[in-house]
Amino acid sequence: MNYEKEIELRIILLFIISIRTTYVLTKSIEKSAAIAIVGMYLFSAIDKFLTNSDVNRLISKWNITDKQFVKLIVFVGGMWELLSSVALITSVFTNKKKLFGFDVSKIRFYSVVSLILFTIAATLMVYVFPFRPLPIMSNINAIGGLLALLK
């Protein structure tokens, strides 16, 4: 097994453990669901920073010769996922009405919208040409899960 696949496998294992641990510690379906849904984005961001799998996939898919440009796109996407995920998880787990001067319900709303926009952009970039229905349907399900986190 190569190094990148080993990292991805460890990330998935950590993801599964975190969902179970969240439920055991909080007894909250909402918080566990948030970890399950948002965790995918969080660990995808981590994967973007630790491996070159997304860079290599985009280079081969779009025949782009400027590897630095693709790395920048993947980095921006990773930061987008990371910041939106952390904001959403924080808004789900906090008992406060405001964080950093912002209403928690607005943080939750804008984080969900941000991740939905990210999902749409990523789907269009990677799965539409050539058309791959299963990943597209999976991303539609992720959008549905994000919408379910809105109050």
Side-chain angles (χ1 to χ4, degrees):
M1 183 180 304
N2 69 24
Y3 176 71
E4 288 186 353
K5 291 295 178 191
E6 185 177 328
I7 288 174
E8 290 170 347
L9 185 60
R10 288 178 186 205
I11 289 171
I12 291 169
L13 183 59
L14 183 61
F15 175 55
I16 293 167
I17 291 168
S18 67
I19 295 168
R20 178 69 180 146
T21 304
T22 300
Y23 183 74
V24 168
L25 295 177
T26 66
K27 299 290 190 234
S28 168
I29 294 293
E30 179 190 30
K31 290 177 181 173
S32 299
I35 292 293
I37 295 163
V38 180
M40 174 188 75
Y41 294 98
L42 186 61
F43 290 120
S44 172
I46 292 167
D47 183 63
K48 283 174 177 53
F49 300 135
L50 296 179
T51 71
N52 282 324
S53 60
D54 285 349
V55 171
N56 295 334
R57 180 168 49 163
L58 285 177
I59 287 173
S60 66
K61 178 172 183 45
W62 293 102
N63 295 322
I64 300 172
T65 56
D66 188 355
K67 189 171 186 174
Q68 294 306 313
F69 177 69
V70 176
K71 282 185 175 186
L72 177 64
I73 291 172
V74 170
F75 177 79
V76 169
M79 289 302 294
W80 186 350
E81 284 180 298
L82 181 66
L83 296 174
S84 297
S85 298
V86 169
L88 184 52
I89 291 292
T90 302
S91 73
V92 169
F93 277 81
T94 189
N95 294 324
K96 298 178 182 180
K97 297 284 184 203
K98 289 192 175 255
L99 284 173
F100 307 109
F102 297 100
D103 187 48
V104 169
S105 63
K106 287 186 179 181
I107 292 172
R108 182 183 277 204
F109 175 79
Y110 289 119
S111 298
V112 166
V113 169
S114 178
L115 287 172
I116 288 171
L117 292 174
F118 174 84
T119 304
I120 292 169
T123 302
L124 292 174
M125 284 177 61
V126 180
Y127 300 123
V128 173
F129 300 106
F131 183 69
R132 296 185 52 206
L134 194 57
I136 291 172
M137 290 173 56
S138 176
N139 285 351
I140 291 169
N141 287 328
I143 290 170
L146 288 166
L147 289 171
L149 292 176
L150 292 176
K151 284 189 171 185

